[in-house]
């Protein structure tokens, strides 16, 4: 008698969060290897080489880092220009420490048979583009009150 096939969620987001925490706890620099050719991936294209990009996600270099089960999102500066980054979890190829290369590289076929919630991905990329298209905010100013 064979067991019914279970619909388990991919392990990639859980392992990525654990490796990120381990790298940071050891005061190393976490690098995120991304397949920039995957749909809904929003990274600075000028730095993509051979369809891939490596992103430095050390806590002091990024703002509002979030590693959900669906995607990795954060804001960072590239050449002094702020950019919101959106990396669907199926585009995450690896997470490793710059200093020694230790980390995890994921099976690219892990998401081959996984139903990806495209509506959630579309809404997240739409929200990101809407927030970046707003009118520029005024620079902060300081007044001395007497």
């Amino acid at each position: 008698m064979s067991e019914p096939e279970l619909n388990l969620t991919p392990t990639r987001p859980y392992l990525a969060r654990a490796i990120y925490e381990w790298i940071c706890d050891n005061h190393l620099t976490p690098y995120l290897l991304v397949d920039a050719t995957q749909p809904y991936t929003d990274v600075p294209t000028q730095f993509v080489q051979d369809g891939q990009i490596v992103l430095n996600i050390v806590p002091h270099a990024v703002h509002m880092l979030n590693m959900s089960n669906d995607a990795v999102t954060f804001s960072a500066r590239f050449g002094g220009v702020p950019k919101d980054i959106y990396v669907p979890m199926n585009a995450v190829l690896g997470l490793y420490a710059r200093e020694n290369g230790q980390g995890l590289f994921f099976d690219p076929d892990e998401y081959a048979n996984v139903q990806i919630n495209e509506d959630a991905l579309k809404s997240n990329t739409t929200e990101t583009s809407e927030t970046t298209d707003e009118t520029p905010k005024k620079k902060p100013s300081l007044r001395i009150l007497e």
Side-chain angles (χ1 to χ4, degrees), residues 138-146:
K138 292 182 181 179
K139 290 185 178 180
S141 62
L142 182 62
R143 288 187 325 169
I144 299 176
L145 301 175
E146 294 183 39

Side-chain angles (χ1 to χ4, degrees), residues 20 28-33 53-62 74-76 78 98:
Y20 176 79
L28 300 172
T29 308
Y31 275 6
L32 184 70
L33 177 61
I53 186 170
V54 177
L55 300 169
N56 177 347
I57 56 172
V58 68
H60 65 268
V62 298
F74 60 92
S75 297
F78 296 88
R98 178 191 70 194

